[in-house]
Amino acid sequence: MITRLRASLVAGVRGLALALTALIGSVLLFTLTLVSVSLIPIGIGIFITPPLLSLVRAQANRRRLLAAQWSGVRIPAAYRPGGPARGGLAGQVERCVRMMKDPATRRDMQWLFTDITAGATVALLAPALWLEGLFGLLLAAGLWKPIVEAGGTYWYTFLPVDSAGTAGLAAVLGLGWMVLATFVNPLLVRSHFRIAAASLTPSREDLEQRIDRLTATRHDAVDTSAAELRRIERDLHDGAQARLVAMGMNLSTIEALIEKDPAQAKKLIAAARTSSAEALTELRDLVRGIHPPVLAERGLGDAVRALALRLPVSCEVDVEMTGRVEAPVESAAYFAVSEALTNAVKHGGGDRIWVDITHTDGSLRIAVTDNGGGGASVGAGSGLSGVERRLGTFDGVLAVSSPAGGPTMVTMEIPCASS
């Protein structure tokens, strides 16, 4: 019974916190967002709507977290990837349109409305039952007298209180409210989260679209892995394996010549030493192509800086990350940057490259810019198509801006958390 009583009191405090959050935070966000959306036609809303929608999403995600922690209610989040960050008015318009078209935005707004109505009401019942019960006890303790003297008969719930006797009945009713709160308060808090889940959970159509996208990206990931395995096999067969076979043949010849023709044997030993060094270099390059040691040890920023040092053109790398993202995301981002840099060097024709890496708002954003002649595109046979497929496995997106005459900017974004 003590455990149930403690759980009821905790639920009352949580219900009060949820109600205040709804009646203050959700009301404010709902009002401001509606105003900002109405201002989109005159241009002002284009700039203020995306930040407000980001706050709404943060509020919804916070409620998802509390639902899981306090009541074990799981509310899925299905926001579309944000897309590459672009500057200027065009980028701001694109961001606003993208967020407004996201079905999750509609669900968030529906949730705000239910949160300030049904959600707040249900949450407020949890502390109200305890407070109402406590007030009934206070009436019986003598509070009824100044209240009646000041304003006549006082109605406690449905009971008129005008004397010590009726105040005693109010105390009994108050105890009833407390007993009821002991049993129903956790259910009220859970019901609050169920109401939120009804608005925030994606519809069947949204889930089907999500499944279709995951199926497509899974096939791309399998195809990419198979292609990587074939490349590794080809590189081993044509490179290091061929050199090791040639070195073995040279060693066999050396055995036969070491006594008959020492001078020729020394030449073959030198050739074998060169072949072993070249084979070792090719094996190191192959390992670096699979997963660079610097990426595993020092993270994405330093790995990209190491890439930049090996380029034949000047490359500046600017990294703004407070932690590290998951290893699969790091690997995908690294090879995507590597491909973009390779394309810039081979086809860009410029003499400078800039790489900007940031992690903000739960997304890893990368921009690779060169001052070449432009003309890059994502299409069949393009290296950037492979980058797009690689990023798609993680719900990432790629965009290319490459007008004739340059410059070329390849922007990538992958939704992910940073540790």
Side-chain angles (χ1 to χ4, degrees), residues 248-258 264-265 268:
M249 295 174 64
N250 285 340
L251 291 175
S252 298
T253 306
I254 290 169
E255 281 184 327
L257 293 177
I258 195 166
Q264 183 64 25
L268 291 176

Side-chain angles (χ1 to χ4, degrees), residues 287-304:
V287 171
R288 188 180 296 113
I290 297 173
H291 193 80
V294 67
L295 179 63
E297 295 171 2
R298 304 187 62 179
L300 180 61
D302 287 338
V304 173

Side-chain angles (χ1 to χ4, degrees), residues 71-341:
S71 296
V73 177
R74 305 291 176 178
I75 307 177
Y79 297 109
R80 289 179 178 175
R86 293 172 53 188
L89 179 60
Q92 191 66 31
V93 172
E94 180 182 354
R95 184 188 179 200
C96 183
V97 172
R98 185 172 58 242
M99 294 186 76
M100 289 295 294
K101 286 184 176 180
D102 192 343
T105 299
R106 172 183 52 79
R107 292 194 296 269
D108 285 348
M109 295 303 294
Q110 289 178 345
W111 166 71
L112 284 179
F113 181 76
T114 57
D115 194 43
I116 63 182
T117 52
T121 301
V122 172
L124 196 58
L125 282 175
L129 288 174
W130 277 109
L131 293 175
E132 187 73 359
L134 180 61
F135 189 69
L137 297 179
L138 292 176
L139 287 175
L143 185 61
W144 69 272
K145 186 174 294 186
I147 293 178
V148 171
E149 291 176 354
T153 301
Y154 173 76
W155 285 87
Y156 174 71
T157 313
F158 54 82
L159 182 68
V161 177
D162 55 9
S163 64
T166 53
L169 294 177
V172 175
L173 181 58
L175 288 174
W177 290 131
M178 289 182 175
V179 172
L180 180 63
T182 302
F183 289 92
V184 304
N185 269 10
L187 297 178
L188 289 173
V189 173
R190 187 177 181 85
S191 298
H192 169 88
F193 291 125
R194 288 294 186 188
I195 292 172
S199 298
L200 291 173
T201 301
S203 64
R204 182 179 181 85
E205 181 180 353
D206 294 333
L207 292 176
E208 289 176 350
Q209 292 177 356
R210 173 71 171 167
I211 291 172
D212 291 341
R213 176 171 174 77
L214 289 176
T215 301
T217 55
R218 183 191 63 186
H219 289 319
D220 288 339
V222 172
D223 293 342
T224 300
S225 298
E228 285 293 310
L229 289 175
R230 290 193 296 269
R231 180 187 67 80
I232 293 170
E233 181 183 13
R234 183 177 62 253
D235 290 346
L236 285 172
H237 183 272
D238 297 341
Q241 179 179 316
R243 294 189 184 281
L244 291 174
V245 171
M247 186 172 64
M249 295 174 64
N250 285 340
L251 291 175
S252 298
T253 306
I254 290 169
E255 281 184 327
L257 293 177
I258 195 166
E259 294 181 358
K260 298 178 181 179
D261 192 350
Q264 183 64 25
K266 288 182 179 180
K267 292 182 180 179
L268 291 176
I269 290 174
R273 184 184 300 113
T274 302
S275 294
S276 67
E278 291 175 348
L280 182 59
T281 300
E282 290 182 356
L283 286 173
R284 285 174 176 170
D285 291 339
L286 184 61
V287 171
R288 188 180 296 113
I290 297 173
H291 193 80
V294 67
L295 179 63
E297 295 171 2
R298 304 187 62 179
L300 180 61
D302 287 338
V304 173
R305 290 190 180 99
L307 271 179
L309 292 175
R310 297 198 296 267
L311 295 178
V313 299
S314 174
C315 181
E316 298 180 14
V317 180
D318 183 20
V319 181
E320 295 183 9
M321 295 181 63
T322 56
R324 294 186 61 173
V325 298
E326 296 178 350
V329 175
E330 271 191 342
S331 180
Y334 172 83
F335 287 109
V337 173
S338 177
E339 182 67 30
L341 291 175

